[in-house]
Amino acid sequence: FSRAAFFGALFSLAFCLVLVPWTIRNHRVFHLFQPLAPAHAEMPGEFVPRGYLAWLRTWIDDGRYIGPVLWALDEAPIKVAEIPDSAFDSPEEKQRVAALFDKYNHPPDAAAPNGANAQSQASPAPADNLVEEQEQSNDNANDNSNDNSNEADSGNQNGEDNANSNDEADENDQADENSSGDQAETQAVEMTPEIDAGFAQIAAERKARHPIRYYLFLPFKRGLSLWFDTHSQYYPFEGELLPLRDLDYDIQQQYWLPLFAGLTFLYTLLGVAGGWFLWSSGLFSARRWLLLAALIIFLRVGFFATLENPEPRYVVEVFPFLSALGGIAITRLTSAKLSSQ
């Protein structure tokens, strides 16, 4: 035990020595004792929307929501229609969130491109109608585009054939989509401390109402989402396996995503089997290595399951240890088969 304690203390000292230059630099530049980088990589005094992040942690349980509501923050508008119903405990709470997002999507200092937008900003819609307006905006846009295309078709009855008119309508629709996409990208948005405080209040209320959901169920679901993912990030066929109807057949997702999901399940089964073989051996050295692998895997997954951005890429580092356990399982199974013959 004394030998293990000595090497443990030596390793801890070496770890601290590596951080000394960084700590000295931060103290000289920022006048702060900061041996490690901040959680959000912010500069001293920089605003971090911790209230909004706390609200995200009260409902995000899958990585598919990270892009629209987290990475889009201060970059693009965020719509309540893109948020699942599990993020709201009541219609009144949904209205409060919609009102906060309306302030975020339409900051007061944003320059209006024309008089119509200026008039709409001068008389904003009531909070009770925000959700309905956002949910109906896409339908109204589609109706307007259909009306415009019908008018264009009726005005071109001068001998042109139907193929040309359809091509023109398609080009107009494509132009409308591009222009609307450009407007969404260039729309000014801002998360202010006032809006962030509103989200912090809602987050505190949700945690107080359902502490077990916040501290137990949601981290567990995030952990499952982190682990049992296709892990297809950075591949051309990256995407979500479920729902199956949303698979993109053009990039062969119907083949690659089930294959990658199956590999994840196979690695998991072999890893569990390898861990069982190590434990059942009864050897202290074998159980020690099993404990090391279990601590590395479960501590990392457990930590990232508490964050608001459960991205599967964070658990890629544990798969080498899972592969080692799987290799032990394969070796034991093949050895048992050969010995039986």
Side-chain angles (χ1 to χ4, degrees):
F1 176 78
S2 59
R3 185 170 180 268
F6 170 76
F7 283 109
L10 184 63
F11 176 81
S12 300
L13 178 62
F15 179 80
C16 294
L17 288 177
V18 173
L19 299 177
V20 167
W22 179 259
T23 305
I24 296 175
R25 178 260 184 189
N26 288 339
H27 186 270
R28 293 184 61 183
V29 176
F30 303 121
H31 307 289
L32 295 173
F33 177 76
Q34 186 175 284
L36 297 174
H40 304 286
E42 73 273 10
M43 296 293 289
E46 182 180 356
F47 170 67
V48 176
R50 290 183 170 84
Y52 179 73
L53 299 178
W55 176 71
L56 293 181
R57 287 193 294 272
T58 64
W59 65 270
I60 282 188
D61 57 2
D62 194 279
R64 71 184 66 195
Y65 303 115
I66 297 175
V69 300
L70 182 57
W71 300 143
L73 187 65
D74 285 331
E75 298 290 339
I78 300 176
K79 299 180 180 180
V80 179
E82 298 176 348
I83 300 175
D85 293 336
S86 59
F88 315 105
D89 289 338
S90 65
E92 185 270 338
E93 182 179 301
K94 188 173 184 179
Q95 296 294 341
R96 292 169 60 189
V97 172
L100 292 173
F101 276 127
D102 185 65
K103 293 180 180 179
Y104 162 80
N105 293 328
H106 305 90
D109 56 347
N114 51 47
N117 289 338
Q119 183 178 0
S120 63
Q121 290 182 2
S123 57
D128 294 340
N129 297 328
L130 291 175
V131 177
E132 289 79 6
E133 289 182 356
Q134 292 182 0
E135 292 177 349
Q136 294 175 1
S137 60
N138 293 331
D139 296 336
N140 294 334
N142 292 331
D143 293 338
N144 292 333
S145 62
N146 291 332
D147 293 339
N148 293 333
S149 61
N150 292 333
E151 292 177 359
D153 292 338
S154 62
N156 290 329
Q157 302 296 328
N158 54 359
E160 295 182 354
D161 55 9
N162 293 331
N164 292 333
S165 62
N166 290 334
D167 292 340
E168 291 179 359
D170 293 338
E171 292 177 358
N172 292 333
D173 292 340
Q174 185 66 28
D176 292 339
E177 292 178 359
N178 293 335
S179 62
S180 62
D182 295 338
Q183 291 177 358
E185 293 178 357
T186 58
Q187 179 177 341
V189 294
E190 182 182 7
M191 175 60 68
T192 63
E194 177 187 0
I195 301 174
D196 184 65
F199 279 109
Q201 178 64 29
I202 298 176
E205 295 173 1
R206 288 174 59 84
K207 287 190 289 185
R209 281 194 299 265
H210 302 284
I212 297 179
R213 178 185 65 185
Y214 180 80
Y215 292 105
L216 184 61
F217 289 160
L218 279 174
F220 181 74
K221 293 178 67 176
R222 282 193 287 261
L224 292 179
S225 175
L226 282 167
W227 190 267
F228 293 104
D229 185 80
T230 59
H231 297 282
S232 58
Q233 291 78 17
Y234 311 112
Y235 286 92
F237 47 84
E238 175 184 1
E240 298 285 343
L241 179 60
L242 298 176
L244 295 176
R245 63 177 180 273
D246 293 339
L247 293 178
D248 190 346
Y249 284 71
D250 294 335
I251 55 177
Q252 310 298 323
Q253 283 186 339
Q254 72 275 20
Y255 303 120
W256 290 108
L257 295 186
L259 174 62
F260 273 50
L263 288 175
T264 300
F265 277 93
L266 179 62
Y267 269 72
T268 303
L269 291 175
L270 290 176
V272 172
W276 169 253
F277 285 130
L278 287 178
W279 181 263
S280 60
S281 66
L283 300 175
F284 173 76
S285 58
R287 292 182 175 181
R288 179 180 59 186
W289 288 112
L290 174 61
L291 177 62
L292 175 63
L295 288 175
I296 292 175
I297 293 174
F298 286 103
L299 287 179
R300 184 173 183 85
V301 175
F303 170 74
F304 284 104
T306 63
L307 302 182
E308 65 276 357
N309 54 328
E311 299 178 76
R313 62 188 176 94
Y314 291 136
V315 301
V316 174
E317 291 83 352
V318 305
F319 272 82
F321 302 95
L322 191 68
S323 301
L325 293 175
I328 293 174
I330 294 175
T331 302
R332 292 292 299 270
L333 292 174
T334 54
S335 299
K337 183 178 180 180
L338 292 176
S339 61
S340 63
Q341 294 178 352

